[in-house]
Amino acid sequence: MINREAIIEMMTAGENQSNEQGLIPSMGVYLQQLPTELWNNYLYRMINAVEPAMFRPLEILFSNAASECSYHTFGQLVNTPEIWNAVKQFTDGSEEADIHALFAIVSGLGMGDIHVEELIPGEKLVVRAYRYYEGEVLEFGQYPRPCSFTYQGAFSSVMDAIYGENLGDFLCTQTKGIECGDAYGEFVIVKATEEMKMERTSYNI
Amino acid sequence: MVKFSADRKYDKERAIFVVNGHDYTNHCHRFLSVAIRTAMDAKNIVNGPRILEGAVEDSMRTVFLDTFRQQQIVSMSERIELIESYYSWAGLGVISFDAVGKNGGEVSLSSSHADEAWKLMIGEATEPINFITKGFIAAAFGCLYDQPARFYHVQEVASIILGSEKSIFKVYLP
């Protein structure tokens, strides 16, 4: 369906080159390259600082932010012919292949070893992340529940970008996490019900 | 002129970049802007901006101290050049450590990824938003003067996102 290796090779070849403004233009966006420790410090200090009752609101806040970012960036990739044609040359051209290709791009950005496990076009996506930086934070023990909020939001937006009409048409539930003792992270993305959409907008923190 | 020297490799098995022994990932400007906004949005339940600054300060301290050792950079002027070079290498903009002393000083940005990202993704701002650079500067001063984390405080007193030509940061001791 896709040549995943070739897409990752294309994404990771060469250095990120900053211009005279100290910015890294790439694929229609500005990149920044920073230690994963920085992002994990931020997320997990936020998680550890809030009262248990505020865990879910914080999860929604972070995952909404990630999906908003990724929805625009994935949408831009897919809708920019000079970029997307370069990716499509390594796919069979199907819509299903587009989903697989976007996850190859996610891996090529350095976000982890991430694969599509199950795809029902337009309906459901199950993603497995065998290595991912938000899962690799603890030196001992485990969290009682999955905490990879950035990945949750980013992954749901892939379905939004390919099959949705609007941001938030699909939502993600993380069912497994390395951070909570599982062998891999698992993310289940389904069409959002009205109830799910309400929950996403009902917290006002 | 000393420059940050990056030995950057893609670890295929882990699907992550490794730079001078540290794990790195690429994110786009949109991600950075919403990460900052999330810190601000969460202010009713947690001091998000302060947590973000501290997160940056601690991770950058590790990078700076390791890089000083790896590149065998000893002099103050060369360490400052290296830190300025790193800022641009990371894609964060152009930073200038204009006045540096053990009691603090002043740092400016002529170009800022965070401010540009905010403008492109979110629009206008009513207050400074560059918490990431505040943490970066605090880490730099702490490493330059062999002081612990949170020793130096940083205040953004002029901001590109608020219309200034340059962002200016005051560094001081509490």
Side-chain angles (χ1 to χ4, degrees), chain B residues 74-115:
Chain B
V74 176
S75 78
M76 175 66 71
S77 61
E78 288 188 334
R79 286 184 169 189
I80 290 171
E81 286 175 4
L82 185 137
I83 289 168
E84 290 176 340
S85 163
Y86 178 92
Y87 194 83
S88 293
W89 171 87
L92 293 174
V94 177
I95 196 167
S96 174
F97 283 70
D98 301 316
V100 178
K102 67 180 180 184
N103 294 311
E106 190 169 301
V107 179
S108 63
L109 304 180
S110 56
S111 168
S112 165
H113 175 96
D115 291 68

Side-chain angles (χ1 to χ4, degrees), chain B:
Chain B
M1 178 70 83
V2 172
K3 289 200 166 188
F4 175 65
S5 175
D7 178 17
R8 179 177 179 268
K9 294 184 176 69
Y10 182 71
D11 181 334
K12 286 186 179 177
E13 187 181 335
R14 299 167 60 226
I16 203 160
F17 291 97
V18 179
V19 180
N20 299 351
H22 297 284
D23 289 347
Y24 274 68
T25 191
N26 294 322
H27 279 300
C28 70
H29 69 270
R30 295 189 179 101
F31 180 82
L32 190 115
S33 66
V34 297
I36 292 170
R37 194 189 61 195
T38 299
M40 298 168 83
D41 286 348
K43 64 177 183 286
N44 290 340
I45 58 169
V46 68
N47 190 343
R50 192 71 198 102
I51 286 177
L52 178 54
E53 289 171 33
V56 175
E57 181 179 358
D58 291 340
S59 63
M60 283 300 117
R61 285 175 63 89
T62 306
V63 169
F64 294 153
L65 293 175
D66 280 357
T67 308
F68 292 163
R69 190 183 68 251
Q70 288 162 351
Q71 293 190 220
Q72 299 179 12
I73 308 296
V74 176
S75 78
M76 175 66 71
S77 61
E78 288 188 334
R79 286 184 169 189
I80 290 171
E81 286 175 4
L82 185 137
I83 289 168
E84 290 176 340
S85 163
Y86 178 92
Y87 194 83
S88 293
W89 171 87
L92 293 174
V94 177
I95 196 167
S96 174
F97 283 70
D98 301 316
V100 178
K102 67 180 180 184
N103 294 311
E106 190 169 301
V107 179
S108 63
L109 304 180
S110 56
S111 168
S112 165
H113 175 96
D115 291 68
E116 183 69 12
W118 188 279
K119 185 177 77 178
L120 291 171
M121 179 68 180
I122 295 166
E124 294 183 354
T126 56
E127 57 186 310
I129 54 86
N130 207 338
F131 312 115
I132 287 173
T133 297
K134 288 174 70 177
F136 185 95
I137 294 168
F141 270 76
C143 292
L144 290 170
Y145 288 104
D146 196 23
Q147 296 293 350
R150 315 296 181 270
F151 188 80
Y152 289 100
H153 288 212
V154 182
Q155 186 180 3
E156 187 173 352
V157 296
S159 306
I160 292 171
I161 192 65
L162 297 178
S164 297
E165 185 181 347
K166 289 185 172 187
S167 293
I168 298 172
F169 298 83
K170 294 282 189 189
V171 184
Y172 62 97
L173 294 170

Side-chain angles (χ1 to χ4, degrees), chain A residues 14 16 18 21-22 30-38 41-42 45 65 68-69 73 76 107 109-110 112 131 133 205, chain B residues 8 10 14-15 23-30 35 37-39 44 54-55 58-59 88-91 93 111 113:
Chain A
N16 287 333
S18 57
Q21 278 93 42
Y30 292 117
L31 294 178
Q32 88 283 146
Q33 47 189 353
L34 290 167
T36 57
E37 184 192 53
L38 183 160
N41 284 351
Y42 174 42
R45 288 177 192 187
E68 184 182 348
C69 149
T73 296
Q76 184 176 339
S107 288
L109 284 168
R131 302 296 298 264
Y133 70 81
I205 61 173
Chain B
R8 179 177 179 268
Y10 182 71
R14 299 167 60 226
D23 289 347
Y24 274 68
T25 191
N26 294 322
H27 279 300
C28 70
H29 69 270
R30 295 189 179 101
R37 194 189 61 195
T38 299
N44 290 340
D58 291 340
S59 63
S88 293
W89 171 87
S111 168
H113 175 96

